[in-house]
């Protein structure tokens, strides 16, 4: 059965997985989002990926994908999610240029998710425990000052990342695609999919407003090893997206030529989590500006409705 056929069959039905109640399909609507695609050192990309995946290259460079969504309507409430990962294809044979982007399903083109902070406990419980995504609760925001859309990610009171992208005057380009996410959990590689649609405004090269700042928290260490280039390939802003997270997940054992270390996170990480929808306090942007020696702190707008 195709996912579209299954979605139609289960629409309006109910499920309860790990104590989390769902009304099918598991989706969202009316949620603003943005993405940034940065060139990175292809060797660093290779070292960051499991052996089952290969980095996809554009003009000889690896690609770091950053996606931030301010979820406004989901079965588990509202929350912000920031995803960072490396564009990749399954290992086995070199991917030809361009085709894996045009025919993503045929080539298994997706993003290996290195980090996925979210702002609520229930999102960690569901995203990590059910779909295997490397979620953790953190301080996040999603703000706009009119010409820029931005998100800051703090953990333990310290900066991990801030990413800014331009906000185009118009979001005119219709978009519909199914994205694949690969992630490590319990010593296994998990594959999940999401279908998104909406209209976006693109900025090739990122424009002057693009900025990526990495803090001194250890969660940023893997990103610093990627030698991220100064300018992105592109950025995109979506005033409102609709999406459905597929309720089918695939998993494989991660293998290696020598005995691997214990997995970073196991079931014990999610076993005691509850269904809380409260958010941690937002990041202190003004303090970050002062710490990094940036120009006089701007007056940041409230999170987008």
């Amino acid at each position: 059965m195709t996912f579209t056929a299954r979605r139609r069959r289960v629409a309006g039905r109910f499920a309860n997985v790990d104590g989390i109640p769902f009304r099918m399909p598991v989706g969202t609507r009316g949620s603003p989002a943005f993405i940034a695609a940065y060139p990175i050192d292809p060797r660093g990309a290779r070292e960051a990926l499991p052996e089952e995946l290969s980095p996809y290259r554009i003009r000889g460079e690896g690609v770091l994908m950053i996606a931030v969504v301010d979820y406004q309507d989901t079965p588990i409430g509202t929350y912000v999610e920031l995803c960072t990962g490396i564009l990749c294809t399954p290992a086995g044979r070199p991917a030809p240029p361009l085709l894996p982007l045009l025919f993503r399903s045929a080539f298994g083109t997706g993003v290996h998710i290195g980090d996925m902070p979210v702002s609520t406990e229930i999102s960690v419980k569901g995203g990590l425990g059910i779909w295997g995504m490397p979620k953790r609760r953190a301080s996040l925001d999603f703000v706009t000052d009119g010409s820029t859309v931005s998100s800051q990610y703090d953990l333990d009171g310290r900066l991990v990342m801030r990413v800014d992208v331009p906000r185009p005057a118009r979001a005119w380009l219709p978009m519909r695609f199914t994205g694949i996410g690969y992630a490590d959990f319990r010593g296994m590689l998990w594959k999940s999919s999401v279908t998104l649609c909406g209209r976006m405004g693109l900025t090739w090269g990122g424009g002057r407003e693009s900025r990526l700042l990495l803090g001194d928290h250890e969660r940023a260490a893997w990103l610093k090893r990627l030698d991220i280039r100064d300018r992105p390939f592109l950025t995109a802003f979506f005033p409102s997206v609709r999406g459905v997270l597929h309720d089918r997940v695939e998993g494989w054992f991660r293998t290696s030529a020598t005995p691997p270390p214990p997995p970073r996170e196991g079931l014990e990480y999610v076993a005691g989590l509850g269904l809380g929808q409260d958010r941690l306090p937002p990041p202190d942007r003004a303090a970050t500006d002062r710490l990094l020696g940036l120009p006089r702190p701007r007056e940041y707008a409230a999170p987008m409705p």
Side-chain angles (χ1 to χ4, degrees):
M1 178 184 296
T2 66
F3 172 71
T4 300
R6 172 170 172 77
R7 183 175 63 182
R8 291 171 179 165
R9 186 176 70 82
V10 303
R13 297 176 65 85
F14 297 89
N16 191 304
V17 183
D18 284 347
I20 304 175
F22 293 98
R23 183 180 176 90
M24 305 300 287
V26 183
T28 184
R29 59 183 178 179
S31 299
F34 68 84
I35 64 172
Y38 274 86
I40 58 176
D41 177 23
R43 291 168 297 184
R46 170 64 275 169
E47 293 173 358
L49 292 175
E51 294 181 13
E52 288 82 1
L53 300 172
S54 295
Y56 182 73
R57 300 189 184 193
I58 296 178
R59 298 200 298 251
E61 301 270 46
V63 183
L64 175 71
M65 299 297 302
I66 304 172
V68 188
V69 185
D70 185 12
Y71 286 109
Q72 294 296 305
D73 180 11
T74 81
I76 58 173
T78 65
Y79 62 97
V80 179
E81 175 183 280
L82 189 155
C83 174
T84 53
I86 297 171
L87 193 64
C88 61
T89 58
R93 61 186 178 89
L98 191 59
L99 288 180
L101 294 181
L102 298 177
F103 304 100
R104 292 182 295 273
S105 296
F107 285 89
T109 308
V111 173
H112 180 260
I113 305 169
D115 198 10
M116 201 176 202
V118 291
S119 51
T120 61
E121 180 184 30
I122 190 172
S123 181
V124 178
K125 183 178 178 68
L128 180 59
I130 300 172
W131 281 275
M133 302 173 185
K135 292 191 174 184
R136 65 183 57 245
R137 192 170 178 226
S139 295
L140 296 165
D141 61 15
F142 190 104
V143 299
T144 177
D145 66 0
S147 62
T148 303
V149 187
S150 175
S151 182
Q152 181 164 317
Y153 163 23
D154 284 4
L155 191 62
D156 308 319
R158 295 159 56 197
L159 173 68
V160 180
M161 173 194 298
R162 183 192 292 179
V163 57
D164 302 339
V165 304
R167 181 181 182 182
R170 289 194 314 123
W172 59 273
L173 184 63
M175 174 276 301
R176 179 184 176 88
F177 76 98
T178 296
I180 295 174
Y182 298 98
D184 302 309
F185 180 47
R186 298 169 48 212
M188 299 175 67
L189 183 66
W190 296 89
K191 177 184 177 182
S192 58
S193 303
V194 61
T195 297
L196 299 170
C197 61
R199 291 182 177 271
M200 63 181 176
L202 279 174
T203 304
W204 297 104
R208 292 180 300 173
E209 294 86 357
S210 292
R211 181 175 63 178
L212 177 61
L213 299 174
L214 300 180
D216 62 355
H217 195 284
E218 52 268 23
R219 294 296 299 182
W222 75 280
L223 292 167
K224 294 178 180 180
R225 292 193 293 268
L226 299 177
D227 189 17
I228 305 170
R229 312 313 190 209
D230 292 336
R231 308 303 303 172
F233 286 124
L234 61 85
T235 62
F237 172 63
F238 307 81
S240 176
V241 295
R242 301 188 308 277
V244 175
L245 180 58
H246 300 198
D247 63 331
R248 173 182 173 179
V249 184
E250 298 178 66
W252 303 267
F253 284 9
R254 281 196 57 178
T255 63
S256 57
T258 58
R264 184 176 64 183
E265 293 156 344
L267 289 174
E268 72 282 354
Y269 188 82
V270 294
L273 293 178
L275 307 182
Q277 297 185 22
D278 294 336
R279 303 187 185 190
L280 295 174
D284 188 343
R285 286 175 165 260
T288 301
D289 286 345
R290 292 191 296 269
L291 178 66
L292 298 176
L294 297 176
R296 186 174 62 87
R298 293 149 41 188
E299 293 296 327
Y300 292 100
M304 295 187 63

